Amino acid sequence: MKVMLVGATGLVGGHVLRQLLDDPRCDAVVAPTRRPLDTTDAALLNPVVDFAQLPAEADWWAVDAVICALGTTIKLAGSKEAFARVDHDFPLAVAQRARARGAHAFALNSAMGADAGSRIFYNQVKGRLEQDLRALGYPSLTLVRPGLIGGERAERRTGEHLASLVLGVLGPVLPRAWRINPAGIIAAALVEAALVPTPGVRIVGSADLVAR
């Protein structure tokens, strides 16, 4: 299979990229990024793009499946509007272009609490993206909804770091849905959803993303 990955430079996306390149079921990976990746592999195509002006007619849109791990925070984006562009507009534009070229499966790294009707802006944006992806008619759509993601990020997220420390201590006594979701496990769920697509819409919740 030929798989597109957006968000390859992030924590979860980095795990996805390594897993795809190591998986014999995946023949090629297309990973558009804003800056070139350090990874070199014969199976990797790495177009450097401006996500605000994606080329509609590029040949590399022709893939079997798409994995989206693109995302930021309101603080890092600088405003609610900028956050919505990265976490809603850019993934939706990718999904539309890939679907138009024949992609039949889409796997999204969303968030626990994603709900278009939520009063929490972050969850609302995630929910709107899920809603809009459903309308594109992908034969297989997998919505992976992790809670707190475990792993070392390139950038420091203080609140997330503190929450990780607390949940790391309390983890054994917490319900599975509240425990830390390791980035590698989230990535594995996304990869499996792309390479072995399930017909229809499937939701993978945080309780399914806990280390065994």
Side-chain angles (χ1 to χ4, degrees), residues 59-148:
D59 291 340
W60 43 260
W61 287 116
V63 296
D64 298 299
V66 180
I67 296 175
C68 180
L70 192 64
T72 185
T73 64
I74 296 174
K75 182 178 180 180
L76 289 172
S79 69
K80 286 184 175 181
E81 292 75 18
F83 167 76
R85 281 197 299 274
V86 175
D87 277 59
H88 175 275
D89 299 353
F90 295 171
L92 184 61
V94 168
Q96 290 168 331
R97 285 162 174 74
R99 181 71 185 122
R101 294 296 293 272
H104 59 264
F106 195 98
L108 172 69
N109 185 37
S110 186
M112 182 170 66
D115 180 357
S118 175
R119 297 177 65 179
I120 300 172
F121 185 74
Y122 180 90
N123 292 344
Q124 180 190 122
V125 171
K126 294 292 189 181
R128 283 199 294 113
L129 175 58
E130 290 188 0
Q131 190 175 73
D132 291 341
L133 289 174
R134 290 172 186 260
L136 295 182
Y138 272 89
S140 176
L141 173 62
T142 301
L143 307 172
V144 178
R145 294 176 175 174
L148 185 65

